[in-house]
Each structure stands twice: as C-alpha cells, then as structure tokens.
Amino acid sequence: RKGVSQLHELTGKPFYYPLLHHPLDTAVAAIARIGKLEISQQVGHLDVSWPDYISIIYKLFDTWKPDVHCFLANILKQGDCVFDIGAHVGIITDFARELVGNNGSVVAFEPTASVCKILLRNMQFYQNVIVEPLAVTQIDGKVKLQEFDPAFRVLNTLVGNAVRHSKANNLAYKEVTVLAVSLDSYVMQHPDRMPQVLIMDIENGEHEALLGAEGILSGDKPPAIIMEIGDGKYNMGHTRRCLDYLVER
C-alpha cells in the first residue's frame, strides 16, 4: 500500500475525481435501484457499507480524499482539536485522530442514523474521538435531512440545500427529522473543544454551517477550514456565498 503523500505525488492531483463520471457510478446505481441492499464489510480496521459510494472508493483505492489527508498531515499537531463535519463512517476522522494523539481530539458529526451507527462502531475504542449524531447548521433544534438510498448517502444533506446529481439522475430520497446544532452553540457547551481545523463535507450545507460559526471564525485564532468548492448546475452559487462570507470575516 502506498502512503497518502506518495499517492498524491504519483497522481499529481486527487485521483478519485475522475471516477465521478466513471462507469462505476452506473454499476453502483444499478445495484442500489435493483435491490437497495446494504452489506457491511471491513476494510483494514474500519467497517464500511456497500453499495455506499465512499465505501466502494475506499475499498478500491485504500483511501478517500488523499488531498485532505495530505493537508491534515502538514498542519495538524499533537493536542489539536478537529471537527469532522459530515464524518460518514470515519475515514478522515480515523486519520486525524492519529495525528492529534491522545492529548488531542476529533469531534465527528454525522446526522444519518445508519451511517452514524457504523461510525460509532469504528471509533468505539478511541478515547480521543467524540461522535456526535448531529447535523451542523445555523440553528439548534430539529431539522429535515434529505436521505438518499444507501449507494448515494454521500449526497445526504439538509432539506433546502441544492444537491448535486439528485435532479440530474432522478435519485430517490426520503425526508427524516434529525437534531442539529450550530458550531458556536456547540463550543459554548463544550469550551474545551475549540477546533483548530474544521473539515466540512455536507453537500451545500457549508454556508449555513459557517453562519452558525461566526463566533469561532471571528476569534483571535480562527480555525483552518477544509471544504468543497466549485459551483455546478445545481449548486446555485453556494461556493461564492461561502467565500464571500469568509472574506468578509
């Protein structure tokens, strides 16, 4: 197995992006629509769930978002606190917890109940990981989550956010009620968990999460932020809103 930095050097760019339009997408969609089956499998020491898209990529390439891994390896140090928002089954959470060590912490937010169950199982033996079954947005309380079939849970987002591919591919989803928290509120409740790094992958929910983190972002030492950017047909200017907000800070 190649190290993350070696993979990054070999490819010159995150190598999983071309797979977004790979025939694998069609195969995963077919599996999901025919039987909507869900099979647990262990990859390394982490449990994953097929035909979940992230789990398939992790199984095939032994990594997920190697560019994020490389960045974290360069900036995180022992004792840091990381918020992994939209942690899924914990692939990045697992990497970050090793970097921050026992004196640091990783708070993994995952509102999808079935995914959070796997995340809890994966992180149960690590005292420096806190799993929160919560969505992160601008407000505290109950919100509606747009939950897709198992193969496409990577697209799960709060209702009202534009979702990539959902309209284009006519993907089925249901709306479920989940608990949400703003980051400012969460840190106020847990002052020992002030993050040095925010990792956000919440399908166009990042702007609302940033609005709920005004106090954190305006502090003397605001966190580094890792998030997806790039406005497509269904993103409706989401990236521009995020970047404008951050520049104004």
Side-chain angles (χ1 to χ4, degrees):
R1 294 185 178 184
K2 301 292 185 181
V4 172
S5 59
Q6 289 176 298
L7 284 170
H8 196 63
E9 290 170 4
L10 286 171
T11 59
K13 61 181 180 180
F15 60 82
Y16 52 88
Y17 288 128
L19 290 173
L20 291 175
H21 301 288
H22 190 275
L24 177 63
D25 276 348
T26 303
V28 172
I31 294 171
R33 288 178 175 137
I34 290 173
K36 297 183 180 180
L37 299 174
E38 188 171 0
I39 303 170
S40 293
Q41 184 178 28
Q42 193 166 40
V43 179
H45 64 280
L46 296 179
D47 285 348
V48 297
S49 176
W50 290 64
D52 174 82
Y53 186 86
I54 293 177
S55 297
I56 290 177
I57 300 302
Y58 185 58
K59 172 69 173 178
L60 291 176
F61 298 103
D62 195 32
T63 189
W64 170 251
K65 297 195 173 182
D67 50 343
V68 173
H69 285 65
C70 289
F71 185 72
L72 291 175
N74 285 324
I75 66 168
L76 284 180
K77 59 184 183 299
Q78 296 278 310
D80 279 349
C81 178
V82 178
F83 283 7
D84 188 3
I85 304 166
H88 202 255
V89 299
I91 297 170
I92 294 177
T93 298
D94 186 59
F95 185 73
R97 63 141 187 107
E98 292 184 347
L99 295 175
V100 302
N102 292 332
N103 293 326
S105 61
V106 180
V107 183
F109 296 87
E110 178 51 60
T112 303
S114 56
V115 179
C116 191
K117 183 178 180 180
I118 301 173
L119 175 62
L120 282 164
R121 191 160 66 239
N122 285 333
M123 297 297 126
Q124 62 182 317
F125 299 115
Y126 305 117
Q127 295 183 356
N128 62 345
V129 177
I130 300 106
V131 175
E132 298 286 8
L134 300 169
V136 173
T137 186
Q138 189 178 1
I139 60 172
D140 297 353
K142 294 181 179 180
V143 294
K144 291 289 187 180
L145 180 74
Q146 193 171 353
E147 183 176 341
F148 291 85
D149 287 337
F152 296 99
R153 285 184 304 206
V154 65
L155 299 176
N156 286 4
T157 187
L158 297 185
V159 171
N161 297 331
V163 183
R164 295 172 304 165
H165 311 309
S166 60
K167 294 181 180 179
N169 295 300
N170 192 30
L171 302 179
Y173 65 88
K174 61 183 179 181
E175 293 185 5
V176 297
T177 300
V178 299
L179 292 176
V181 68
S182 72
L183 293 181
D184 281 346
S185 176
Y186 184 82
V187 170
M188 187 175 297
Q189 296 171 41
H190 305 282
D192 58 326
R193 301 175 192 172
M194 178 63 73
Q196 279 72 54
V197 176
L198 297 179
I199 306 168
M200 291 194 288
D201 187 358
I202 47 178
E203 299 304 310
N204 297 329
E206 289 86 355
H207 183 242
E208 286 71 23
L210 291 173
L211 291 175
E214 184 173 359
I216 295 173
L217 298 177
S218 59
D220 294 334
K221 295 182 179 180
I225 299 173
I226 302 172
M227 57 176 282
E228 291 182 324
I229 61 171
D231 284 334
K233 183 176 180 181
Y234 300 108
N235 295 69
M236 299 169 55
H238 169 259
T239 289
R240 175 50 55 193
R241 291 194 299 274
C242 289
L243 295 180
D244 286 347
Y245 179 77
L246 291 173
V247 169
E248 291 171 0
R249 304 274 72 72

